[in-house]
Amino acid sequence: MRGSAEERITSRNVDLSNCDREQIQFSNAVQPHCVLLAMDPATWRILQVSGNADELGFGPARDLPGRRLQDVFTPSDYQCVSDAARKLRYPAPPLHIGSSTLGGQTRDLFIHINNGSLFLEAERQGAHPGVAQKQLYDELRNGIAQLNASTSVVGFLDQAVHVIARCTGFERVMAYRFHGDGSGEVVAEAVHQGLERYLGLHYPAADIPKPARRLFALTWLRHLPDVNYQPVPLIPEINPVTSDLADLSYVFSRSVSVMYTEYLRNMGVKATMVLTLFKGGKLWGLISCMQHSAPRHLNIEVRAVCEMLAQTSSLLMSAKEDAEFAKYRESLSHSLEALVHQLGLRTSTAEALSSPKVNLLSAMDASGAAIFLGETITLLGQTPSQSAVQALAAAIASKVQPVWSSDLATRDVAMDDETASRASGILATRIGQFDTDLVIWFRPEYRQTVAWAGDPEKLVVRAPGREARLNPNGSFDVWRTEVRGRSKPWLECELDFASRLGRVILEVVVQRSREMARLNQDLSRSNRELEEFVYTASHDLKSPLRGIATYAQMVLRTAADLPSVNRERLQSIVQLANRMDGVIEGLLRYSELGHAVIRREDVDLNEVCEQIIELLRVDIESTRTEIRIPRRLPILRCDLRWVTQILLNLMANGIKYNDKEKRTLEIGYLVPPASTVTGRTGPGILYVKDNGIGIAPDDRDAVLRLFHRLHADQKYGAGTGLGLSIVARSVERHNGRLWIESTVGEGSTFFFTLDE
Amino acid sequence: MLLKSRPILAVEDSDQDFDVLEMCLKTAGVLNPVQRCASGEEIRNYFERMERAAASEIPVFVFLDLNLPGIRGADVLARLKRHKTLNPVPVVVLTTSSQVRDVDLSYSLGAAGFLTKPLDLDKFEKMIQHVADYWFSCVKLPENAERAR
């Protein structure tokens, strides 16, 4: 015997702790519905037989080893076996070479070669064909057509289990899928009424241990017609050629692991058949058929059809899964394009990533997302609380280089249960120059999203111990414990999506800041140019204007004999030139206001008003306007020059637009009452009030507009249409507010503040 | 050296403005010859000529318009103040501008005064009258004694 007996785990010493190392291929026994002969393929000398070999009618089993096959079998049977043996490729699953009547029973014969021995299995014919032979091929054809028509992998497997249930008559057929960690999940199920449903059940990796997976991967089909069978040991125990236990890896009638039969017994299963699903040469899943009411032995024809179905299913399913995955990848890349488009349109990155149309969660299989950019946090979907999300971001910030993911975030970051349930899975990508500029996706804990059709109540009812463990409830319980705190794993294409999005956002942000810098440069250049232009233009306009005005005045002086009509026209020229000069001067002021720096200092408004009254003295006296200042004006922090402009323009207007016999102009200051909430007073309000012609409500906005004049040239003296625009802009540059209260025919009050 | 015989320089591109200025000076009783530079080129030539000028050729004062073709008024002022022979001569800016930045810049470059040309002829005359009174009757002007010898 090779290796030490202590090390080798076989059916004799297997338990839950070591079943992952059980060498099932060395079970050294078969199931009773088959007789096994192991031979030397060169001499056809029989090396070992199963204890039930007497059933073949060649005498007692123990007498067969040492004899040659041609001395035992009929010449035709021997011919059949030896002819087939020449075509064998090794090692490969057993080849069905035909049937023969042996010991009064029809038996199907199978041969294969493994480890230098030729194995012949003679199987009693199955007593329970699923459907009539004639219908079987129709079922197969229709089944494959239906499989082809299904659109999703799960839909496909649902079709597959129903087709197989019809073909075999098994009471339960489940499709079982392996995950990357070796655990598995029932993804489709066809089950008779009254039986417990297992759809959605998850198994821990230990329930289909590695050795079992290895053996499943060797064949398309395994059949256990009677779970409660009595294993039939091999005689002699040791293979005389290899001096070891025979390697029964490919023997389909091999006695199975006691762990497996115990599990099946706990489920109340009497017979099983397991088909394998492969993808790209790897075991992808299983289709597991079960009979609960009685043992069930399927004949080779039905099994062959099932095997074909399993092979076809594997091919079709691989294609379906690839297509589904491709669709997901495609939707990710479409959403990336849409997000990039939005990033281009919107000025705010966070807005672009969270718009209702397309956002971070549109394509990504995640339940929540967060955007950290500068000081702002934007949350989308199902996320932990904002403070928890902030703490998570701070904890992972240094790991995101430029992408970081975890499907067991509780291991990487400290968090409370509430947070963990929503952020078991974290995928993060850098989107800015700082570590904390992140986009984060969240996945909930996986087990909370799993719904098992089974009855979880039984978890508590069953007594602890080995028996309680080896059943679906025990499996689910173990699986739930194993995946505590885990989310569904992040896929390569999702990491790729995150990293590409991060890169794009970084580029957009960098590009945008470059763009801003360029725009700023352009703006300040065009501001300078505009300033130059206005300055030069005003000089070029003013110079000829002064020529016109002064020459007209010279002519007026010297030509004493000029007819009065011409004298008036010359005077008009002078007046018009003056007005145009005023317009140019106003424009200069207005443009200067655009870029002038507001220099605030303590300005005594009483002094300002005195100066303005002095400036306007001629107008005040000629109109006999009474100037009222009800109480001392305050000292305010503002720009002296522009506040003078504001008051000058408002006061000049108040005097000008008045047709009353007794004209008044009031300059005052209001302190608003203190806020009942903060106890602070708002900014003081200044006002200039006249009893003049008033402004109609419809005109109140218009008066503030550039060059907008309400009155004909000569009425109320010609204005430039600039005065109030300059007032409005000066107030605006002080961050103040300007508003008008007026009654037509009674007067107007202009209110303004200088800081809010 | 008699002040009355030395020239007054007007740096002025506008013919009308120069015409009006001459008239106003006459009205104010100023009999000094008025020399004129109307462009950057003329100014540069004038500066060159003045480097070797006799004391009698140095102007009593200068009227300077800030807006000139071919050269910036502020540059003319700066160069006047650095000029070998012209630097002591008072420069009175006489311009259309009333912009704060022009006023500030002119004084910082050494202007002796800043006048904004009014549109009104009477006001213009009055302004020139004040200037003439001030420079000829109130203050003592540089004599260029060094160069007179």
Side-chain angles (χ1 to χ4, degrees), chain A residues 659-717:
Chain A
D659 52 2
K660 299 284 177 334
E661 193 59 37
K662 197 170 161 358
R663 303 180 185 189
T664 60
L665 184 70
E666 183 175 315
I667 301 109
Y669 179 65
L670 304 169
V671 180
S675 156
T676 52
V677 181
T678 60
R680 292 209 316 254
T681 57
I685 300 164
L686 291 153
Y687 66 85
V688 176
K689 181 180 182 181
D690 62 59
N691 67 340
I693 57 171
I695 306 165
D698 287 352
D699 292 332
R700 278 175 208 166
D701 287 336
V703 292
L704 301 179
R705 256 182 256 145
L706 206 58
F707 291 122
H708 196 93
R709 300 180 58 228
L710 296 179
H711 306 284
D713 268 8
Q714 293 310 315
K715 214 177 170 189
Y716 306 116

Side-chain angles (χ1 to χ4, degrees), chain B residues 6-130:
Chain B
R6 277 169 57 197
I8 291 170
L9 173 66
V11 181
E12 174 61 78
D13 65 323
S14 157
D15 291 344
Q16 297 83 37
D17 282 1
F18 182 70
D19 187 10
V20 174
L21 178 63
E22 267 195 313
M23 194 208 82
C24 290
L25 281 168
K26 274 196 194 96
T27 312
V30 176
L31 300 171
N32 303 52
V34 182
Q35 294 177 338
R36 179 186 174 197
C37 290
S39 69
E41 198 188 345
E42 286 181 30
I43 290 161
R44 276 186 284 273
N45 293 338
Y46 178 80
F47 281 170
E48 212 173 294
R49 215 164 57 238
M50 282 299 113
E51 283 187 15
R52 296 171 304 278
S56 61
E57 292 173 286
I58 305 292
V60 190
F61 52 84
V62 177
F63 284 113
L64 172 64
D65 189 353
L66 290 180
N67 301 89
L68 294 163
I71 194 161
R72 284 172 11 126
D75 289 344
V76 177
L77 180 53
R79 287 175 64 175
L80 270 167
K81 287 292 134 191
R82 283 201 311 268
H83 195 272
K84 221 161 96 185
T85 57
L86 297 174
N87 74 84
V89 178
V91 179
V92 178
V93 173
L94 179 61
T95 183
T96 42
S97 170
S98 59
Q99 299 242 330
V100 179
R101 60 166 193 183
D102 287 335
V103 178
D104 290 356
L105 181 65
S106 299
Y107 281 113
S108 74
L109 288 173
F114 190 102
L115 305 171
T116 301
K117 294 175 190 167
L119 223 61
D120 187 85
L121 191 56
D122 293 340
K123 284 185 187 158
F124 204 155
E125 278 177 348
K126 214 176 272 175
M127 182 189 276
I128 298 301
Q129 182 73 59
H130 285 312

Side-chain angles (χ1 to χ4, degrees), chain A residues 290-538:
Chain A
M290 293 173 175
Q291 194 72 1
H292 291 264
S293 55
R296 184 171 188 81
H297 183 193
L298 286 186
N299 64 30
I300 179 65
E301 284 84 7
V302 180
R303 271 150 50 199
V305 165
C306 289
E307 209 176 294
M308 256 185 81
L309 269 171
Q311 293 190 21
T312 314
S313 295
S314 285
L315 287 172
L316 290 175
M317 181 215 60
S318 295
K320 290 263 188 282
E321 197 185 41
D322 289 346
E324 222 171 73
F325 187 63
K327 222 162 101 186
Y328 182 53
R329 282 191 73 111
E330 200 181 323
S331 74
L332 281 177
S333 100
H334 278 159
S335 108
L336 184 70
E337 277 169 29
L339 288 171
V340 170
H341 180 68
Q342 284 186 173
L343 282 165
L345 292 182
R346 291 172 191 257
T347 45
S348 152
T349 302
E351 258 178 49
L353 298 178
S354 59
S355 96
K357 213 170 119 210
V358 183
N359 59 48
L360 292 174
L361 296 176
S362 304
M364 181 70 104
D365 177 19
S367 54
I371 306 154
F372 288 79
L373 202 56
E375 298 296 308
T376 62
I377 305 167
T378 311
L379 299 181
L380 270 175
Q382 301 274 304
T383 66
S385 69
Q386 175 148 339
S387 58
V389 169
Q390 266 176 295
L392 285 180
I396 62 167
S398 63
K399 302 179 204 243
V400 186
Q401 298 292 352
V403 171
W404 181 79
S405 75
S406 172
D407 57 5
L408 183 56
T410 46
R411 186 187 52 199
D412 305 288
V413 187
M415 58 177 99
D416 59 36
D417 289 351
E418 169 87 23
T419 307
S421 72
R422 289 191 165 182
S424 291
I426 294 180
L427 169 58
T429 184
R430 276 273 302 277
I431 57 165
Q433 58 181 126
F434 300 109
D435 275 357
T436 47
D437 293 338
L438 298 172
V439 159
I440 305 178
W441 288 271
F442 300 103
R443 266 182 188 166
E445 193 177 19
Y446 184 37
R447 59 183 199 152
Q448 293 187 9
T449 68
V450 168
W452 176 30
D455 184 359
E457 280 303 303
K458 290 182 180 166
L459 293 176
V460 274
V461 174
R462 303 237 176 173
R466 178 165 162 166
E467 197 187 326
R469 162 67 183 85
L470 282 179
N471 61 63
N473 299 292
S475 296
F476 195 62
D477 201 28
V478 168
W479 176 81
R480 279 175 61 90
T481 312
E482 280 181 4
V483 298
R484 181 180 288 279
R486 262 190 204 284
S487 74
K488 267 168 77 180
W490 296 99
L491 304 174
E492 199 55 47
C493 63
E494 290 164 343
L495 299 188
D496 185 53
F497 170 76
S499 109
R500 278 163 63 196
L501 182 68
R503 261 203 319 273
V504 166
I505 296 170
L506 265 170
E507 275 166 23
V508 168
V509 169
V510 167
Q511 197 187 328
R512 195 173 283 161
S513 65
R514 271 203 212 114
E515 188 97 330
M516 290 292 275
R518 198 178 58 74
L519 281 175
N520 266 336
Q521 230 172 17
D522 283 1
L523 192 64
S524 59
R525 192 175 54 227
S526 75
N527 267 344
R528 270 200 312 277
E529 281 170 3
L530 189 67
E531 203 179 321
E532 283 307 315
F533 169 78
V534 170
Y535 187 82
T536 313
S538 70

